[in-house]
């Protein structure tokens, strides 16, 4: 089972990247679970036709009880991707990170991985602050590899550095390791040089270079990933090639 946590600064496009990567794995015939670990609970929206699904924490608040069946807190999206959103507390109350921890424990009790038997599990994690529950995919053994989404923008690279440092802090405990950088282009000046220098200084590779594309926005307006919209597009091939690369690395 390939288990990947995708981190990045808020607004950098990590949910777009994660959703398209999930769709790419599904396009390749793999059974995929995508778990959104963000209080906004919108990670899976483009796999679900533009619909925001109920979150785990939202269900618990509404029913004042934990769900008993996986179907109550999951939806099946494009390509059979099983979609789950952790959600978070009522805005202004409680810790969002605790929602992630509570959700993970609940999914363990439900024996999610044994029952669904996925080939790939993707965690879409807010990366501005890598602490508490937001670090759970790294430190609890849920993910084996971390991919960091960044552009060449200063604050995106700053967040990427914090994420890389956080993962390195767990290096001696057998937890997830950084598997590389996904360059999600914003077309800022000298973007290639900035991201390449950042990666080289930290001994990381750029595993994918996603171009800025109007096609992504066009299909998102329709509630779709570009893979669902047109798998033959240049930008779609970038996601499919990344999925193939990650699967090949898993075989090594």
């Amino acid at each position: 089972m390939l288990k990947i946590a995708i981190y990045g600064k808020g607004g950098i496009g990590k949910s777009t990247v994660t959703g398209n990567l999930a769709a790419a794995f599904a396009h390749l015939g793999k059974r995929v679970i995508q778990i959104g670990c963000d209080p906004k609970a919108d990670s899976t929206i483009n796999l679900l036709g533009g619909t925001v699904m109920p979150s785990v924490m939202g269900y618990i608040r509404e029913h004042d009880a934990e769900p008993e069946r996986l179907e109550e807190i999951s939806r099946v999206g494009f390509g059979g991707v099983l979609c789950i959103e952790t959600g978070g507390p009522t805005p202004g109350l409680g810790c969002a990170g605790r929602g992630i921890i509570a959700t993970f424990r609940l999914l363990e009790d439900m024996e999610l991985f044994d029952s669904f038997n996925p080939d790939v599990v993707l965690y879409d994690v807010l990366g501005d602050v890598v602490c508490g529950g937001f670090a759970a995919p790294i430190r609890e053994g849920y993910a084996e590899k971390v991919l960091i989404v960044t552009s060449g923008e200063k604050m995106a690279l700053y967040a990427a550095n914090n994420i890389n440092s956080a993962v390195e802090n767990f290096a001696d405990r057998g937890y997830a390791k950084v598997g590389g950088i996904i360059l999600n282009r914003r077309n800022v000046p000298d973007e290639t040089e900035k991201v390449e220098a950042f990666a080289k200084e930290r001994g990381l590779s750029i595993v994918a270079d996603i171009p800025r594309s109007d096609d992504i926005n066009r299909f998102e307006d329709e509630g779709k990933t570009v893979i669902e919209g047109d798998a033959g597009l240049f930008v779609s091939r970038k996601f499919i090639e990344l999925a193939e690369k990650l699967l090949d690395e898993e075989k090594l």
Side-chain angles (χ1 to χ4, degrees):
M1 187 193 311
L2 182 59
K3 298 180 288 184
I4 302 173
I6 299 178
Y7 281 80
K9 177 185 177 295
I12 198 59
K14 63 179 175 47
S15 293
T16 294
V17 168
T18 307
N20 277 285
L21 185 56
F25 280 120
H27 177 78
L28 296 172
K30 302 303 179 182
R31 289 175 62 81
V32 184
I33 298 175
Q34 179 171 325
I35 301 177
C37 303
D38 190 314
K40 298 193 305 298
D42 59 357
S43 170
T44 58
I45 189 171
N46 292 320
L47 294 166
L48 296 168
T51 301
V52 177
M53 64 171 288
S55 70
V56 175
M57 297 306 294
Y59 180 98
I60 292 173
R61 281 197 304 274
E62 181 180 349
H63 296 85
D64 196 25
E66 292 187 348
E68 297 181 357
R69 297 180 298 111
L70 181 61
E71 292 77 11
E72 294 173 311
I73 53 168
S74 66
R75 297 290 185 274
V76 177
F78 169 76
V81 177
L82 186 69
C83 301
I84 298 170
E85 297 280 0
T86 67
T90 301
L93 300 174
C95 171
R98 290 180 182 175
I100 298 173
I101 295 171
T103 297
F104 283 10
R105 289 174 178 167
L106 178 61
L107 295 177
E108 282 186 356
D109 292 341
M110 289 184 167
E111 299 181 335
L112 169 65
F113 299 143
D114 290 334
S115 60
F116 189 77
N117 194 27
D119 300 302
V120 180
V121 182
L122 299 177
Y123 301 92
D124 175 12
V125 194
L126 182 66
D128 293 79
V129 180
V130 187
C131 65
F134 295 108
I138 298 174
R139 65 176 188 202
E140 303 293 344
Y142 293 104
E144 297 171 345
K145 181 179 295 187
V146 172
L147 297 179
I148 303 174
V149 181
T150 189
S151 66
E153 296 163 303
K154 181 178 179 179
M155 295 311 296
L157 290 169
Y158 180 82
N161 183 63
N162 285 343
I163 295 162
N164 184 60
S165 297
V167 178
E168 286 184 340
N169 288 337
F170 296 115
D172 60 345
R173 306 183 192 180
Y175 293 157
K177 298 179 180 179
V178 176
I181 299 290
I182 297 175
L183 169 53
N184 193 33
R185 288 187 176 272
R186 294 294 180 87
N187 293 345
V188 299
D190 303 319
E191 188 161 33
T192 299
E193 292 79 4
K194 290 175 181 176
V195 177
E196 285 181 347
F198 173 87
K200 183 177 180 180
E201 288 171 5
R202 290 153 184 82
L204 302 174
S205 61
I206 299 174
V207 296
D209 186 339
I210 308 299
R212 194 163 181 84
S213 171
D214 290 337
D215 290 317
I216 291 178
N217 297 328
R218 175 164 62 93
F219 286 116
E220 283 190 347
D221 287 342
E222 299 176 14
K224 298 177 180 178
T225 63
V226 289
I227 308 299
E228 179 180 4
D230 185 348
L233 292 172
F234 177 76
V235 66
S236 299
R237 287 302 313 170
K238 288 291 186 178
F239 288 111
I240 293 170
E241 288 168 3
L242 174 57
E244 291 172 334
K245 176 182 178 68
L246 294 168
L247 290 170
D248 287 342
E249 289 177 352
E250 179 72 2
K251 296 175 184 176
L252 298 178

